[in-house]
Short mmCIF file of all heavy atoms in Angstrom, two decimals:
data_model
loop_
_atom_site.label_atom_id
_atom_site.label_comp_id
_atom_site.label_asym_id
_atom_site.label_seq_id
_atom_site.Cartn_x
_atom_site.Cartn_y
_atom_site.Cartn_z
N ALA S 1 -11.35 -5.75 -19.46
CA ALA S 1 -10.56 -6.78 -18.89
C ALA S 1 -9.37 -6.32 -18.09
O ALA S 1 -9.09 -6.79 -17.02
CB ALA S 1 -10.04 -7.70 -20.04
N TYR S 2 -8.67 -5.27 -18.55
CA TYR S 2 -7.57 -4.65 -17.77
C TYR S 2 -8.11 -3.98 -16.50
O TYR S 2 -7.46 -3.98 -15.46
CB TYR S 2 -6.82 -3.70 -18.72
CG TYR S 2 -5.80 -4.37 -19.57
CD1 TYR S 2 -5.96 -4.31 -20.98
CD2 TYR S 2 -4.70 -5.04 -19.08
CE1 TYR S 2 -5.09 -4.92 -21.79
CE2 TYR S 2 -3.80 -5.65 -19.92
CZ TYR S 2 -3.99 -5.59 -21.29
OH TYR S 2 -3.11 -6.23 -22.14
N GLN S 3 -9.31 -3.30 -16.60
CA GLN S 3 -9.89 -2.67 -15.46
C GLN S 3 -10.20 -3.63 -14.35
O GLN S 3 -10.05 -3.32 -13.19
CB GLN S 3 -11.14 -1.93 -15.85
CG GLN S 3 -11.70 -1.07 -14.73
CD GLN S 3 -10.78 0.03 -14.23
OE1 GLN S 3 -10.00 0.54 -15.08
NE2 GLN S 3 -10.76 0.23 -12.90
N SER S 4 -10.60 -4.84 -14.72
CA SER S 4 -10.89 -5.88 -13.73
C SER S 4 -9.57 -6.20 -12.99
O SER S 4 -9.64 -6.44 -11.79
CB SER S 4 -11.48 -7.14 -14.41
OG SER S 4 -11.65 -8.17 -13.52
N ARG S 5 -8.50 -6.29 -13.71
CA ARG S 5 -7.19 -6.63 -13.15
C ARG S 5 -6.77 -5.56 -12.22
O ARG S 5 -6.24 -5.73 -11.12
CB ARG S 5 -6.13 -6.94 -14.18
CG ARG S 5 -4.83 -7.30 -13.64
CD ARG S 5 -3.70 -7.25 -14.56
NE ARG S 5 -3.84 -8.03 -15.78
CZ ARG S 5 -2.98 -8.13 -16.74
NH1 ARG S 5 -1.83 -7.44 -16.66
NH2 ARG S 5 -3.22 -8.89 -17.82
N VAL S 6 -6.99 -4.27 -12.60
CA VAL S 6 -6.66 -3.13 -11.82
C VAL S 6 -7.43 -3.08 -10.53
O VAL S 6 -6.87 -2.91 -9.50
CB VAL S 6 -6.80 -1.84 -12.63
CG1 VAL S 6 -6.74 -0.63 -11.73
CG2 VAL S 6 -5.80 -1.74 -13.76
N ALA S 7 -8.76 -3.28 -10.63
CA ALA S 7 -9.59 -3.30 -9.49
C ALA S 7 -9.23 -4.36 -8.46
O ALA S 7 -9.19 -4.10 -7.24
CB ALA S 7 -11.06 -3.46 -9.90
N THR S 8 -8.94 -5.53 -8.99
CA THR S 8 -8.61 -6.66 -7.99
C THR S 8 -7.24 -6.31 -7.37
O THR S 8 -7.18 -6.52 -6.11
CB THR S 8 -8.45 -7.97 -8.86
OG1 THR S 8 -9.74 -8.25 -9.52
CG2 THR S 8 -8.04 -9.12 -7.87
N SER S 9 -6.25 -5.87 -8.10
CA SER S 9 -5.01 -5.51 -7.53
C SER S 9 -5.08 -4.41 -6.46
O SER S 9 -4.44 -4.47 -5.41
CB SER S 9 -3.99 -5.16 -8.61
OG SER S 9 -3.79 -6.23 -9.56
N GLU S 10 -5.80 -3.38 -6.82
CA GLU S 10 -6.00 -2.22 -5.91
C GLU S 10 -6.66 -2.64 -4.61
O GLU S 10 -6.35 -2.16 -3.55
CB GLU S 10 -6.75 -1.16 -6.59
CG GLU S 10 -5.92 -0.38 -7.65
CD GLU S 10 -6.70 0.74 -8.29
OE1 GLU S 10 -7.97 0.68 -8.25
OE2 GLU S 10 -6.04 1.63 -8.81
N ARG S 11 -7.69 -3.54 -4.74
CA ARG S 11 -8.39 -3.97 -3.59
C ARG S 11 -7.48 -4.74 -2.56
O ARG S 11 -7.49 -4.54 -1.42
CB ARG S 11 -9.61 -4.76 -3.94
CG ARG S 11 -10.36 -5.39 -2.70
CD ARG S 11 -11.56 -6.17 -3.23
NE ARG S 11 -11.24 -7.26 -4.17
CZ ARG S 11 -10.70 -8.39 -3.84
NH1 ARG S 11 -10.45 -8.71 -2.51
NH2 ARG S 11 -10.37 -9.32 -4.76
N ILE S 12 -6.76 -5.68 -3.18
CA ILE S 12 -5.86 -6.50 -2.30
C ILE S 12 -4.73 -5.65 -1.74
O ILE S 12 -4.31 -5.79 -0.49
CB ILE S 12 -5.19 -7.62 -3.08
CG1 ILE S 12 -6.34 -8.57 -3.68
CG2 ILE S 12 -4.24 -8.47 -2.33
CD1 ILE S 12 -5.86 -9.67 -4.61
N LEU S 13 -4.18 -4.67 -2.49
CA LEU S 13 -3.19 -3.77 -2.00
C LEU S 13 -3.68 -2.92 -0.88
O LEU S 13 -2.97 -2.70 0.11
CB LEU S 13 -2.61 -2.92 -3.09
CG LEU S 13 -1.55 -3.49 -4.04
CD1 LEU S 13 -1.31 -2.63 -5.23
CD2 LEU S 13 -0.24 -3.84 -3.27
N ARG S 14 -4.89 -2.43 -1.01
CA ARG S 14 -5.49 -1.64 0.09
C ARG S 14 -5.62 -2.41 1.34
O ARG S 14 -5.31 -1.95 2.42
CB ARG S 14 -6.84 -1.09 -0.45
CG ARG S 14 -7.49 -0.18 0.63
CD ARG S 14 -8.88 0.38 0.12
NE ARG S 14 -9.85 -0.72 -0.06
CZ ARG S 14 -10.28 -1.11 -1.22
NH1 ARG S 14 -9.80 -0.58 -2.38
NH2 ARG S 14 -11.16 -2.13 -1.24
N ASP S 15 -6.04 -3.72 1.26
CA ASP S 15 -6.17 -4.51 2.43
C ASP S 15 -4.79 -4.81 3.08
O ASP S 15 -4.68 -4.75 4.29
CB ASP S 15 -6.84 -5.84 2.07
CG ASP S 15 -8.32 -5.65 1.59
OD1 ASP S 15 -8.85 -4.65 1.95
OD2 ASP S 15 -8.82 -6.59 0.95
N LEU S 16 -3.79 -5.02 2.23
CA LEU S 16 -2.47 -5.26 2.80
C LEU S 16 -1.90 -4.02 3.43
O LEU S 16 -1.29 -4.08 4.47
CB LEU S 16 -1.54 -5.73 1.65
CG LEU S 16 -1.74 -7.12 1.11
CD1 LEU S 16 -0.89 -7.41 -0.11
CD2 LEU S 16 -1.47 -8.21 2.20
N TYR S 17 -2.09 -2.81 2.81
CA TYR S 17 -1.60 -1.62 3.41
C TYR S 17 -2.25 -1.24 4.71
O TYR S 17 -1.67 -0.56 5.52
CB TYR S 17 -1.73 -0.47 2.45
CG TYR S 17 -0.65 -0.51 1.33
CD1 TYR S 17 -0.93 -0.05 0.02
CD2 TYR S 17 0.63 -1.02 1.56
CE1 TYR S 17 0.07 0.00 -0.97
CE2 TYR S 17 1.63 -1.04 0.59
CZ TYR S 17 1.35 -0.50 -0.70
OH TYR S 17 2.33 -0.54 -1.66
N ASN S 18 -3.52 -1.67 4.86
CA ASN S 18 -4.25 -1.41 6.05
C ASN S 18 -3.85 -2.30 7.25
O ASN S 18 -4.11 -2.04 8.36
CB ASN S 18 -5.72 -1.54 5.85
CG ASN S 18 -6.30 -0.40 4.94
OD1 ASN S 18 -5.72 0.72 5.02
ND2 ASN S 18 -7.37 -0.59 4.26
N GLN S 19 -3.17 -3.36 6.87
CA GLN S 19 -2.69 -4.29 7.93
C GLN S 19 -1.32 -3.79 8.44
O GLN S 19 -0.30 -4.19 7.90
CB GLN S 19 -2.56 -5.75 7.31
CG GLN S 19 -3.89 -6.33 6.89
CD GLN S 19 -3.76 -7.67 6.27
OE1 GLN S 19 -2.58 -8.16 6.14
NE2 GLN S 19 -4.81 -8.21 5.72
N ARG S 20 -1.33 -2.92 9.42
CA ARG S 20 -0.10 -2.30 9.86
C ARG S 20 0.53 -3.09 11.05
O ARG S 20 1.38 -2.56 11.78
CB ARG S 20 -0.33 -0.89 10.35
CG ARG S 20 -0.94 0.01 9.25
CD ARG S 20 0.14 0.47 8.33
NE ARG S 20 1.02 1.32 9.04
CZ ARG S 20 2.07 1.98 8.49
NH1 ARG S 20 2.31 1.83 7.20
NH2 ARG S 20 2.90 2.71 9.26
N SER S 21 0.02 -4.32 11.32
CA SER S 21 0.58 -5.04 12.40
C SER S 21 2.08 -5.41 12.11
O SER S 21 2.44 -5.55 10.95
CB SER S 21 -0.24 -6.28 12.67
OG SER S 21 -0.12 -7.17 11.56
N GLU S 22 2.80 -5.66 13.15
CA GLU S 22 4.22 -6.09 12.99
C GLU S 22 4.32 -7.42 12.34
O GLU S 22 5.37 -7.72 11.75
CB GLU S 22 4.86 -6.11 14.35
CG GLU S 22 4.96 -4.68 14.95
CD GLU S 22 5.82 -4.71 16.25
OE1 GLU S 22 6.30 -5.81 16.57
OE2 GLU S 22 5.99 -3.66 16.83
N GLN S 23 3.34 -8.28 12.45
CA GLN S 23 3.49 -9.59 11.84
C GLN S 23 3.49 -9.47 10.28
O GLN S 23 4.21 -10.08 9.68
CB GLN S 23 2.25 -10.47 12.25
CG GLN S 23 2.41 -10.96 13.67
CD GLN S 23 1.29 -11.92 14.04
OE1 GLN S 23 0.24 -12.02 13.30
NE2 GLN S 23 1.43 -12.64 15.12
N SER S 24 2.62 -8.59 9.78
CA SER S 24 2.51 -8.45 8.32
C SER S 24 3.62 -7.55 7.78
O SER S 24 3.86 -7.59 6.56
CB SER S 24 1.16 -7.97 7.89
OG SER S 24 1.00 -6.71 8.44
N LEU S 25 4.20 -6.72 8.61
CA LEU S 25 5.24 -5.78 8.18
C LEU S 25 6.47 -6.04 8.99
O LEU S 25 7.03 -5.14 9.61
CB LEU S 25 4.75 -4.39 8.35
CG LEU S 25 3.55 -3.97 7.45
CD1 LEU S 25 3.01 -2.57 7.82
CD2 LEU S 25 3.80 -4.04 5.97
N ALA S 26 6.97 -7.21 9.06
CA ALA S 26 8.06 -7.56 9.84
C ALA S 26 9.41 -6.97 9.34
O ALA S 26 10.32 -6.67 10.02
CB ALA S 26 8.23 -9.11 9.97
N VAL S 27 9.51 -6.86 8.02
CA VAL S 27 10.70 -6.32 7.40
C VAL S 27 10.56 -4.81 7.17
O VAL S 27 9.52 -4.33 6.72
CB VAL S 27 10.97 -7.00 6.02
CG1 VAL S 27 12.20 -6.47 5.34
CG2 VAL S 27 11.08 -8.52 6.29
N PRO S 28 11.63 -4.01 7.53
CA PRO S 28 11.48 -2.64 7.42
C PRO S 28 11.13 -2.17 6.03
O PRO S 28 10.45 -1.13 5.88
CB PRO S 28 12.92 -2.09 7.83
CG PRO S 28 13.46 -3.18 8.67
CD PRO S 28 12.88 -4.48 8.19
N GLY S 29 11.61 -2.84 4.98
CA GLY S 29 11.27 -2.40 3.70
C GLY S 29 9.83 -2.43 3.28
O GLY S 29 9.28 -1.68 2.50
N ASP S 30 9.06 -3.38 3.94
CA ASP S 30 7.60 -3.44 3.70
C ASP S 30 6.92 -2.16 4.06
O ASP S 30 6.07 -1.68 3.37
CB ASP S 30 6.98 -4.67 4.49
CG ASP S 30 7.52 -6.00 4.01
OD1 ASP S 30 7.93 -6.11 2.85
OD2 ASP S 30 7.63 -6.89 4.88
N ARG S 31 7.24 -1.70 5.25
CA ARG S 31 6.60 -0.45 5.79
C ARG S 31 7.21 0.76 5.10
O ARG S 31 6.42 1.71 4.88
CB ARG S 31 6.85 -0.40 7.27
CG ARG S 31 6.03 0.73 7.90
CD ARG S 31 6.17 0.54 9.41
NE ARG S 31 5.45 1.67 10.09
CZ ARG S 31 5.33 1.72 11.40
NH1 ARG S 31 5.79 0.79 12.16
NH2 ARG S 31 4.69 2.74 11.95
N SER S 32 8.46 0.80 4.80
CA SER S 32 9.08 1.94 4.22
C SER S 32 8.53 2.33 2.89
O SER S 32 8.39 3.50 2.49
CB SER S 32 10.65 1.76 4.07
OG SER S 32 10.90 0.71 3.17
N LYS S 33 8.09 1.25 2.12
CA LYS S 33 7.54 1.53 0.82
C LYS S 33 6.24 2.32 0.98
O LYS S 33 5.94 3.35 0.26
CB LYS S 33 7.27 0.22 0.02
CG LYS S 33 6.64 0.51 -1.32
CD LYS S 33 6.58 -0.81 -2.12
CE LYS S 33 7.90 -1.20 -2.57
NZ LYS S 33 7.87 -2.35 -3.55
N LEU S 34 5.33 1.95 1.90
CA LEU S 34 4.05 2.62 2.13
C LEU S 34 4.34 4.04 2.67
O LEU S 34 3.72 4.97 2.28
CB LEU S 34 3.24 1.83 3.13
CG LEU S 34 1.88 2.47 3.62
CD1 LEU S 34 1.04 2.73 2.40
CD2 LEU S 34 1.19 1.60 4.59
N ASP S 35 5.24 4.10 3.55
CA ASP S 35 5.65 5.42 4.15
C ASP S 35 6.17 6.36 3.03
O ASP S 35 5.88 7.57 3.04
CB ASP S 35 6.70 5.36 5.21
CG ASP S 35 6.12 4.78 6.45
OD1 ASP S 35 4.85 4.72 6.62
OD2 ASP S 35 6.94 4.27 7.38
N ALA S 36 6.89 5.87 2.06
CA ALA S 36 7.44 6.72 0.92
C ALA S 36 6.27 7.17 0.12
O ALA S 36 6.29 8.40 -0.30
CB ALA S 36 8.39 5.87 0.13
N ILE S 37 5.26 6.32 -0.15
CA ILE S 37 4.12 6.72 -0.87
C ILE S 37 3.30 7.82 -0.15
O ILE S 37 2.94 8.87 -0.67
CB ILE S 37 3.23 5.52 -1.13
CG1 ILE S 37 3.93 4.57 -2.09
CG2 ILE S 37 1.85 5.98 -1.85
CD1 ILE S 37 3.19 3.25 -2.28
N ARG S 38 3.15 7.61 1.15
CA ARG S 38 2.37 8.60 1.94
C ARG S 38 3.12 9.99 2.03
O ARG S 38 2.56 11.05 1.93
CB ARG S 38 2.17 8.06 3.37
CG ARG S 38 1.05 6.95 3.33
CD ARG S 38 0.82 6.39 4.71
NE ARG S 38 -0.34 5.52 4.81
CZ ARG S 38 -0.59 4.69 5.69
NH1 ARG S 38 0.15 4.55 6.75
NH2 ARG S 38 -1.71 3.97 5.70
N ARG S 39 4.45 9.84 2.17
CA ARG S 39 5.28 11.06 2.22
C ARG S 39 5.16 11.86 0.91
O ARG S 39 5.01 13.04 0.83
CB ARG S 39 6.70 10.75 2.45
CG ARG S 39 7.63 11.97 2.47
CD ARG S 39 9.06 11.52 2.82
NE ARG S 39 9.94 12.75 2.80
CZ ARG S 39 10.03 13.64 3.72
NH1 ARG S 39 9.43 13.53 4.88
NH2 ARG S 39 10.96 14.66 3.58
N ARG S 40 5.17 11.09 -0.16
CA ARG S 40 5.05 11.77 -1.54
C ARG S 40 3.68 12.47 -1.72
O ARG S 40 3.59 13.56 -2.25
CB ARG S 40 5.22 10.71 -2.67
CG ARG S 40 5.19 11.23 -4.02
CD ARG S 40 5.56 10.15 -5.01
NE ARG S 40 5.62 10.64 -6.36
CZ ARG S 40 6.01 9.92 -7.46
NH1 ARG S 40 6.45 8.73 -7.20
NH2 ARG S 40 5.90 10.42 -8.66
N LEU S 41 2.60 11.80 -1.21
CA LEU S 41 1.23 12.39 -1.22
C LEU S 41 1.12 13.65 -0.40
O LEU S 41 0.54 14.62 -0.76
CB LEU S 41 0.21 11.35 -0.90
CG LEU S 41 0.11 10.18 -1.80
CD1 LEU S 41 -0.86 9.17 -1.27
CD2 LEU S 41 -0.29 10.52 -3.20
N LEU S 42 1.69 13.60 0.77
CA LEU S 42 1.74 14.68 1.75
C LEU S 42 2.49 15.92 1.14
O LEU S 42 2.06 17.07 1.21
CB LEU S 42 2.31 14.36 3.04
CG LEU S 42 1.44 13.36 3.97
CD1 LEU S 42 2.19 12.93 5.18
CD2 LEU S 42 0.15 14.06 4.38
N LEU S 43 3.66 15.61 0.51
CA LEU S 43 4.39 16.65 -0.15
C LEU S 43 3.66 17.28 -1.30
O LEU S 43 3.71 18.47 -1.56
CB LEU S 43 5.76 16.16 -0.59
CG LEU S 43 6.76 15.83 0.50
CD1 LEU S 43 7.98 15.12 -0.10
CD2 LEU S 43 7.08 17.03 1.37
N ALA S 44 2.80 16.46 -2.05
CA ALA S 44 2.08 16.99 -3.09
C ALA S 44 0.97 17.90 -2.49
O ALA S 44 0.64 18.93 -3.09
CB ALA S 44 1.37 15.78 -3.87
N GLU S 45 0.39 17.47 -1.41
CA GLU S 45 -0.58 18.33 -0.74
C GLU S 45 -0.01 19.69 -0.33
O GLU S 45 -0.59 20.79 -0.53
CB GLU S 45 -1.20 17.62 0.45
CG GLU S 45 -2.18 16.45 0.17
CD GLU S 45 -2.81 15.94 1.42
OE1 GLU S 45 -3.31 16.73 2.23
OE2 GLU S 45 -2.79 14.71 1.60
#
């Protein structure tokens, strides 16, 4: 049951993060959160 919730949330989040248009990321904080995650992953690499 919890895995179903995880899968649904991850799928929607992936779709939202792939929408890099200015309309969906009008506020700097929306994009900065994704950039912070990517920066963290790159530093881990």
Side-chain angles (χ1 to χ4, degrees):
Y2 279 113
Q3 184 59 36
S4 175
R5 185 195 300 182
V6 169
T8 302
S9 299
E10 287 180 339
R11 177 178 54 80
I12 300 175
L13 279 173
R14 183 179 64 250
D15 293 340
L16 288 173
Y17 283 150
N18 288 332
Q19 296 173 5
R20 300 283 292 185
S21 65
E22 293 185 1
Q23 286 185 345
S24 61
L25 296 173
V27 178
D30 297 331
R31 186 171 179 177
S32 63
K33 179 173 288 189
L34 177 58
D35 287 344
I37 294 173
R38 287 178 169 165
R39 178 177 176 82
R40 184 171 177 175
L41 294 176
L42 289 172
L43 290 174
E45 290 187 45

